[in-house]
Amino acid sequence: MIRILFFLIVVFALGLGFAWLADRPGDLELTFNGYRYEITLMVAAVAVTAVVAAVMIAWWLTKAIWNSPYTIARYFRVRRRDRGYQALSTGMIAAGAGDAAKARLMNKQAAKLIRSDQEPLINLLDAQTSLLEGDHDAARQKFEAMLDDPEMRMLGLRGLYMEAERLGDRAAARHYAGRAAEVAPQLVWASTATLEEKTERGDWDGALKLLDGQKSGRQIDRDVANRRRAVLLTAKAMSLMDTDPVAAKNAALEANRLQPDLVPAAATAAKALFRQNDIRKGAKILEASWKIEPHPEVGELYLHARPGDAAHDRLTRARKLEALKQNNPDSSMIVARAALDAREYREAREAAESAIRMQPREGAYLLLADIEEAESGDQGRVRQFLSKAVRAPRDPAWVADGFVSDRWAPVSPITGKLDAFEWRAPVERLTPLIEPYVDLEEDNQPALAAPAEADVEDTIVEPAETAATPVEAAVQPTAGPTDAAKVEPGRMETPTAPRPLREPRQRAAKASEPDAFMPTNPPDDPGVTPEDEVEPTPRRFRLF
């Protein structure tokens, strides 16, 4: 743009000069070698301008001819470079799409057209292609070679980190992440891996310092940083609870201030306050946490805030928790347990049944069994509640990466991830187990073998002289390996496929049915409840 303006200014100046000369006519007289030349001023100006232009053109032509070899070489070099970058771009797209063959072809073309020391992306494409081809050893060698190049060092560390994560070598992965974090602390993946490594070693102060650096560098959001800081402070308070109660209390209180909904932070802060006889402040923290989300650990701490309280005093505190969070199964469960300890069986039963109506689960049925055994000792109803507990969904627990724990931890024991534990029902059994085990793949097991035995007894059957009835043949056991000597000579027995093993959960459900362990003559067994009773339908089977 500046060149265009300068050109326009020069043309405008020349135009003004020639116009000024045209308005002022004159003659120019020149004597040279005995001759006298007379020309007008305008012709002289045009001649001078033409001579200058001719000199400039001659100089440009001379320079172009002199530099023509370099110009031609540069043209072909630029053309070669453009083809190389086109091949490199196509290869990167192919590598991203998972086309290993095309990526390798484009990598070879790019390496021929562009030198790898001039374009580091060729090394990256080569390593990515090796990964797509499954040659991880070659890829690791290429990533290690990148460590010598300052421009490619971070890329090499990232590749080695990903390979170590793939192999499950967490120590090597965190080593590479630590090296990357020392050089470039702004890398989120490196700082996160280093943070997990410090938390696994229990270096809570170092982890908090690294987290502050991430927050100041705006690598993570403010809410995420506050959550992680609360988790780290809670873990620090739990580790200092026995050695430094004051520091543990300060860390737990700060964690509770940052994340009031973090149950371990509230529980740890309350424990620290209770140890310093600050019952009132600790109870307020637990009440605030209970209002946000009721948790059994919070309820137990609240009930046993004063160890010398009587059972009825704990029941009164449980009722207060229920008033803070009404129509909640955990509130009803805490009242039911406290009432059972106080021997208020009626209130305990009503609270447990209310919890079941809101959310049927294993713990509520087990609590009903305890109440029934403590109040009446009716073993029949106790077994009934126990069988329902087996079929009911499991109680919530601390779950992280499929690992179920009774206690909260700051990191996952499986992957080492920070703040991985969640309070939820384990995935092993989310719905009640009602249907019995049925092997649909067995062709040799008749459907009427199990239910037909009771009906056959009610059917009048004449004594059979020779052949067995179809029902008898169906319920007769199949000869196994131990019965091979009983098979008549000349008669071939069809071997039956072995029955597959039942799943552990199904075996446990079958073994927990009342009929599996009911005594021979239980006088106190009430049988099934009226809502579970089903009117039997009479059935008859034709034997011939």
Side-chain angles (χ1 to χ4, degrees):
M1 184 68 183
I2 296 178
R3 291 183 179 181
I4 296 175
L5 291 176
F6 180 75
F7 176 76
L8 293 177
I9 291 173
V10 171
V11 172
F12 182 72
L14 289 175
L16 288 179
F18 282 108
W20 182 78
L21 289 176
D23 294 339
R24 293 167 178 80
D27 297 327
L28 180 63
E29 185 175 310
L30 178 63
T31 302
F32 179 72
N33 197 18
Y35 293 96
R36 187 175 65 183
Y37 303 93
E38 291 183 0
I39 55 176
T40 61
L41 188 60
M42 179 62 70
V43 174
V46 171
V48 171
T49 304
V51 170
V52 172
V55 171
M56 292 178 63
I57 294 174
W59 174 255
W60 176 78
L61 288 175
T62 304
K63 184 178 179 181
I65 295 173
W66 181 264
N67 295 329
S68 58
Y70 172 77
T71 303
I72 296 173
R74 185 178 62 177
Y75 168 76
F76 285 106
R77 185 172 62 251
V78 170
R79 184 170 178 269
R80 181 186 181 89
R81 185 189 62 184
D82 292 342
R83 289 173 55 197
Y85 275 108
Q86 181 63 36
L88 179 61
S89 176
T90 306
M92 295 296 294
I93 295 174
D99 191 350
K102 188 173 183 179
R104 175 60 67 187
L105 177 62
M106 293 296 104
N107 178 65
K108 292 180 179 180
Q109 292 184 6
K112 292 179 181 178
L113 298 173
I114 307 177
R115 293 168 52 185
S116 59
D117 57 346
Q118 296 179 351
E119 183 50 66
L121 286 179
I122 296 179
N123 297 325
L124 174 60
L125 178 59
D126 192 9
Q128 292 291 336
T129 305
S130 298
L131 291 176
L132 289 176
E133 293 173 347
D135 191 357
H136 295 278
D137 294 335
R140 282 193 295 271
Q141 294 176 2
K142 294 178 176 66
F143 285 129
E144 290 175 356
M146 295 179 188
L147 300 180
D148 299 332
D149 187 0
E151 188 176 4
M152 301 288 291
R153 184 174 294 122
M154 292 298 103
L155 180 58
L157 290 173
R158 171 68 172 175
L160 293 173
Y161 169 79
M162 296 300 294
E163 281 296 296
E165 285 285 334
R166 183 188 64 83
L167 295 175
D169 191 351
R170 295 168 61 183
R174 288 172 178 174
H175 167 72
Y176 294 125
R179 291 182 57 182
E182 292 177 359
V183 180
Q186 72 277 4
L187 298 177
V188 178
W189 64 271
S191 57
T192 302
T194 307
L195 179 65
E196 292 178 357
E197 188 267 337
K198 291 182 180 295
T199 55
E200 187 175 1
R201 290 192 291 107
D203 186 7
W204 309 117
D205 293 332
L208 287 170
K209 183 178 179 180
L210 184 60
L211 182 64
D212 292 339
Q214 290 182 345
K215 184 178 179 180
S216 60
R218 296 183 179 181
Q219 300 178 16
I220 55 178
D221 295 337
R222 180 179 179 182
D223 295 338
V224 177
N226 291 337
R227 174 74 182 189
R228 292 182 178 178
R229 182 174 180 82
V231 171
L232 293 175
L233 288 172
T234 303
K236 179 181 178 181
M238 294 172 65
S239 63
L240 297 176
M241 186 65 69
D242 297 330
T243 58
D244 193 351
V246 177
K249 182 192 72 172
N250 295 333
L253 289 176
E254 183 181 357
N256 182 252
R257 179 182 59 82
L258 291 174
Q259 291 291 320
D261 58 341
L262 185 60
V263 173
T268 306
K271 287 180 183 178
L273 291 171
F274 291 161
R275 290 193 177 188
Q276 298 183 5
N277 296 324
D278 195 350
I279 307 297
R280 183 176 180 181
K281 187 174 181 179
K284 287 185 178 179
I285 292 177
L286 294 178
E287 289 175 359
S289 177
W290 188 269
K291 289 180 181 179
I292 298 174
E293 185 64 33
H295 194 276
E297 184 179 359
V298 173
E300 290 296 325
L301 282 174
Y302 188 79
L303 296 186
H304 298 86
R306 287 190 295 265
D309 285 351
H312 283 83
D313 295 334
R314 294 196 297 268
L315 177 58
T316 302
R317 297 174 71 87
R319 291 168 181 166
K320 184 177 180 180
L321 286 180
E322 186 182 25
L324 293 177
K325 194 73 173 181
Q326 298 180 358
N327 299 325
N328 187 275
D330 291 300
S331 298
S332 300
M333 289 287 290
I334 201 71
V335 172
R337 292 192 181 94
L340 176 60
D341 295 338
R343 296 185 179 181
E344 298 290 343
Y345 300 119
R346 181 177 179 181
E347 184 178 359
R349 186 184 300 276
E350 292 177 355
E353 291 175 351
S354 176
I356 291 175
R357 285 193 298 269
M358 287 183 285
Q359 186 180 4
R361 60 190 186 191
E362 184 179 10
Y365 286 109
L366 293 176
L367 183 58
L368 272 178
D370 293 338
I371 296 171
E372 188 65 39
E373 185 175 11
E375 182 179 11
S376 63
D378 190 344
Q379 296 299 318
R381 292 190 62 83
V382 170
R383 286 192 297 272
Q384 181 185 5
F385 291 134
L386 291 177
S387 64
K388 290 184 177 181
V390 174
R391 294 168 172 81
R394 293 181 61 180
D395 293 332
W398 291 110
V399 182
D401 299 322
F403 180 80
V404 182
S405 174
D406 295 333
R407 298 174 59 85
W408 177 84
V411 296
S412 170
I414 307 299
T415 60
K417 180 182 178 182
L418 181 66
D419 192 22
F421 276 95
E422 300 178 356
W423 181 256
R424 59 180 176 84
V427 298
E428 286 88 320
R429 191 175 68 204
L430 295 178
T431 56
L433 181 61
I434 299 177
E435 294 295 333
Y437 178 82
V438 178
D439 192 357
L440 299 179
E441 296 182 356
E442 288 191 44
D443 298 331
N444 298 329
Q445 299 292 334
L448 55 86
E453 293 179 356
D455 297 333
V456 172
E457 295 178 357
D458 300 335
T459 307
I460 300 176
V461 181
E462 297 295 336
E465 290 82 10
T466 57
T469 62
V471 175
E472 292 173 348
V475 298
Q476 284 180 355
T478 305
T482 58
D483 300 333
K486 300 180 183 180
V487 180
E488 296 179 2
R491 182 179 178 182
M492 182 178 295
E493 292 289 338
T494 303
T496 57
R499 185 179 182 87
L501 296 178
R502 301 174 185 268
E503 296 293 335
R505 184 178 67 180
Q506 295 162 343
R507 291 202 305 268
K510 183 176 180 62
S512 61
E513 293 179 356
D515 294 339
F517 52 82
M518 187 173 292
T520 306
N521 187 19
D524 55 349
D525 191 352
V528 297
T529 56
E531 59 272 13
D532 297 337
E533 186 175 1
V534 180
E535 185 68 19
T537 304
R539 293 180 295 174
R540 293 285 182 176
F541 290 90
R542 296 181 62 87
L543 302 181
F544 305 100

